[in-house]
Amino acid sequence: MAFKHITSRDNPVYKHLRKLADNARERKKEKVTLLEGVHLIEAYVQTQGEPQLLIIPEGKSSLEATDLLQQLADVDTMMLPTLMFADLAPVASSSGIMALVPVPELPLPQAVDFALLIEDIQDPGNLGSMLRTAAAAGVQVAYLTKGCTDAWSPKALRGGQGAQLILPVVENVEAEALVKNFPGKTLALAMQGESLYEQPLSEPVLFVVGNEGAGISPALQSAVKACVTIPMAHQGVLALESLNAAAATAIALFECQRQRLSA
Amino acid sequence: MAFKHITSRDNPVYKHLRKLADNARERKKEKVTLLEGVHLIEAYVQTQGEPQLLIIPEGKSSLEATDLLQQLADVDTMMLPTLMFADLAPVASSSGIMALVPVPELPLPQAVDFALLIEDIQDPGNLGSMLRTAAAAGVQVAYLTKGCTDAWSPKALRGGQGAQLILPVVENVEAEALVKNFPGKTLALAMQGESLYEQPLSEPVLFVVGNEGAGISPALQSAVKACVTIPMAHQGVLALESLNAAAATAIALFECQRQRLSA
């Protein structure tokens, strides 16, 4: 392995990493991304293999980061001044290690019987947390419209906590065609509709969730079999009762999981 | 009403507002807080009454903010340069209006049959979104340990989207005593335990949720009647499947709501 200590922001490798940290187009072109933190890097190693490059800040590393560096002793490592490292990291309190990795292409399931279509979610933390919930609920594939943020950005990966490494994610889908061709029930989560709890969910199902402000586009609402809603406690009394998109997604996906477990 | 245009950061009223924006102790002492955005201010007016002061940035206001200003024409209003306004706001993309308001004290329910105890959640956005979910699920009171962040900070209010105005929140509770004296079932959400779905939840219930990293403290785990867990799709196969605290809370509270609706 090679160890490099880089201290200039003009270093071409560092400039390249900065571009990858900030720019979805650059990541797509090169099919690589940056992972932050021991947990995500370990998950990558466990599911995909070794990173191309490890990046650490100057100064004392955490015990976990040191262990990981030892375990990956044959991977090239780059050390950076603290501030240069911080400029690559997706959050302020970075855990002190990052990795450059190829974006994996997970095989798609042959027959899909539990899927999620996400329309136009632009916040990477929100998108990541929806993918994390989907993986935990047993969703087999997540479809993302063109209006969604990059599922492989460092922030979305952080929100996903490794979900992107086990749940196949298909980006830039043609949402209407997908809904029309889905071999099973297609249900859009909406403010108004049939009660979620009255839907039998053991046959193949595709849930469609949208962006909290805008809701699901009219085109998709008319393409799905039904709009479903999560009944709230005092619906109508005050407009204050509502759920954020990630919470609503969690409730719907786990209702499906619950019905299937008890079937 | 009085209208003031303030342009100096040394203005004593502005300095006072800065303190209130940043400092939980100051807010507690004066029993006031800052609300950001048309939606939250409207919710306040609808449930509590008029704010003490409205704060707007220089320049053109949004249509919604202009409407609200007209509706609240007899409330004192302060106009600030854009950057000074931004320094008071909890998020970068502020909707262009804030309000100084007394923190309401909502009456506690006589008999509690659905409650939530939140232990040591430090992220204000997370805490806010848990309170929002709790209000939507029909929780009657939310108890917060001393280790939780201020439920009335501008960021927590934004995450709650008005939940704090309809759901009574009791801060600094003695968690163990509360659990021991609760007249009903006390259930801690944990990584390991009985399945959530096998719990009958129609009798009075108190859910206990903790911070994602640390989990629920051992003291609380032994005080509750049972630890319950949300079954995941491929539990044990990979350590990658997990839920964030807000998603787990949403699933548990709405499972309770579902059982009660279908009872």
Side-chain angles (χ1 to χ4, degrees):
Chain A
M1 77 115 175
F3 181 90
K4 276 186 195 144
H5 190 175
I6 287 175
T7 56
S8 162
R9 288 183 178 269
D10 291 329
N11 176 284
V13 180
Y14 181 72
K15 280 164 80 174
H16 181 221
L17 292 173
R18 275 300 294 272
K19 254 197 191 160
L20 291 172
D22 295 337
N23 190 322
R25 203 172 313 156
E26 203 66 22
R27 290 190 294 267
K28 299 279 177 216
K29 207 174 74 188
E30 302 195 23
K31 297 183 177 163
V32 294
T33 191
L34 291 171
L35 302 177
E36 189 263 319
V38 170
H39 171 80
L40 270 185
I41 299 171
E42 280 179 346
Y44 189 90
V45 171
Q46 189 186 356
T47 58
Q48 319 293 329
E50 292 196 343
Q52 291 180 359
L53 175 71
L54 292 169
I55 308 152
I56 54 172
E58 290 170 358
K60 211 166 147 30
S61 294
S62 71
L63 209 62
E64 292 78 16
T66 309
D67 281 353
L68 187 60
L69 280 167
Q70 277 171 359
Q71 186 196 330
L72 299 173
D74 53 344
V75 176
D76 289 349
T77 301
M78 175 189 287
M79 182 180 271
L80 298 172
T82 322
L83 286 179
M84 283 173 64
F85 180 87
D87 281 347
L88 293 180
V91 284
S93 63
S94 164
S95 70
I97 188 164
M98 296 186 71
L100 175 70
V101 300
V103 168
E105 289 186 25
L106 305 186
L108 294 177
Q110 295 277 318
V112 175
D113 92 341
F114 192 10
L116 177 66
L117 166 58
I118 302 178
E119 189 183 36
D120 299 358
I121 296 282
Q122 276 136 30
D123 180 84
N126 266 347
L127 181 72
S129 100
M130 285 181 179
L131 294 175
R132 180 178 177 188
T133 301
V139 165
Q140 296 161 302
V141 51
Y143 302 104
L144 274 49
T145 62
K146 213 166 61 179
C148 283
T149 186
D150 179 18
W152 294 95
S153 70
K155 273 188 188 162
L157 284 160
R158 194 184 154 83
Q161 288 286 307
Q164 288 92 327
L165 301 171
I166 51 170
L167 169 65
V169 174
V170 183
E171 297 186 284
N172 297 315
V173 295
E174 285 297 335
E176 278 178 70
L178 181 84
V179 165
K180 283 179 184 149
N181 296 323
F182 184 79
K185 216 176 208 177
T186 53
L187 299 173
L189 274 185
M191 291 298 285
Q192 251 123 42
E194 305 167 20
S195 164
L196 169 71
Y197 307 133
E198 283 156 19
Q199 299 293 324
L201 299 170
S202 47
E203 61 178 302
V205 64
L206 170 71
F207 276 103
V208 185
V209 298
N211 148 333
E212 192 179 335
I216 291 161
S217 63
L220 268 186
Q221 288 202 29
S222 39
V224 294
K225 183 171 179 294
C227 287
V228 295
T229 193
I230 298 164
M232 312 254 166
H234 315 280
Q235 224 163 9
V237 178
L238 276 173
L240 288 178
E241 272 133 357
S242 64
L243 288 165
N244 69 35
T249 304
I251 294 162
L253 297 179
F254 274 85
E255 170 61 10
C256 184
Q257 155 85 337
R258 184 193 69 79
Q259 288 191 19
R260 291 174 182 203
L261 283 175
S262 66
Chain B
M1 76 116 173
F3 181 90
K4 275 186 196 146
H5 190 173
I6 286 175
T7 55
S8 162
R9 288 184 178 269
D10 292 330
N11 176 285
V13 181
Y14 181 73
K15 280 165 82 173
H16 181 221
L17 292 174
R18 275 299 295 272
K19 254 197 192 160
L20 291 173
D22 296 337
N23 190 322
R25 203 173 312 155
E26 202 65 23
R27 289 190 295 266
K28 299 277 178 218
K29 206 174 74 188
E30 303 194 22
K31 298 182 178 164
V32 293
T33 190
L34 290 171
L35 301 177
E36 187 264 319
V38 170
H39 170 81
L40 270 184
I41 298 172
E42 280 179 348
Y44 189 89
V45 171
Q46 188 186 358
T47 56
Q48 318 293 330
E50 292 196 342
Q52 292 180 358
L53 176 71
L54 293 169
I55 308 152
I56 53 173
E58 291 170 359
K60 210 166 150 23
S61 294
S62 71
L63 209 62
E64 291 77 19
T66 310
D67 281 355
L68 186 61
L69 280 167
Q70 276 170 0
Q71 186 198 327
L72 299 173
D74 53 342
V75 176
D76 289 349
T77 301
M78 175 188 289
M79 182 181 274
L80 298 173
T82 322
L83 286 177
M84 282 172 65
F85 180 86
D87 282 347
L88 293 180
V91 284
S93 63
S94 163
S95 70
I97 189 165
M98 296 186 71
L100 175 69
V101 299
V103 169
E105 289 186 24
L106 305 185
L108 293 178
Q110 295 278 317
V112 176
D113 91 343
F114 191 10
L116 177 65
L117 166 58
I118 302 177
E119 188 183 37
D120 298 358
I121 296 282
Q122 278 137 28
D123 180 85
N126 265 348
L127 181 71
S129 99
M130 285 181 178
L131 294 175
R132 181 178 176 188
T133 302
V139 165
Q140 296 161 301
V141 52
Y143 302 104
L144 274 50
T145 62
K146 212 167 61 178
C148 283
T149 185
D150 178 18
W152 294 95
S153 70
K155 273 189 188 160
L157 283 161
R158 193 183 155 83
Q161 288 286 306
Q164 288 91 328
L165 302 171
I166 50 171
L167 168 66
V169 174
V170 183
E171 298 185 284
N172 297 316
V173 295
E174 286 296 334
E176 278 178 70
L178 180 83
V179 165
K180 283 180 184 147
N181 296 324
F182 185 79
K185 214 175 208 176
T186 53
L187 299 173
L189 274 184
M191 292 297 286
Q192 251 124 41
E194 306 168 21
S195 164
L196 169 70
Y197 307 133
E198 283 156 21
Q199 299 292 325
L201 299 170
S202 47
E203 62 179 301
V205 63
L206 170 72
F207 277 104
V208 185
V209 297
N211 146 337
E212 192 180 334
I216 291 161
S217 64
L220 268 187
Q221 288 201 32
S222 41
V224 295
K225 182 170 179 295
C227 286
V228 295
T229 191
I230 298 164
M232 313 253 167
H234 315 279
Q235 225 165 8
V237 178
L238 277 172
L240 288 178
E241 271 133 357
S242 65
L243 288 166
N244 67 37
T249 304
I251 295 162
L253 297 180
F254 274 84
E255 171 61 10
C256 184
Q257 155 85 337
R258 185 193 69 78
Q259 288 191 19
R260 290 174 182 203
L261 283 174
S262 66

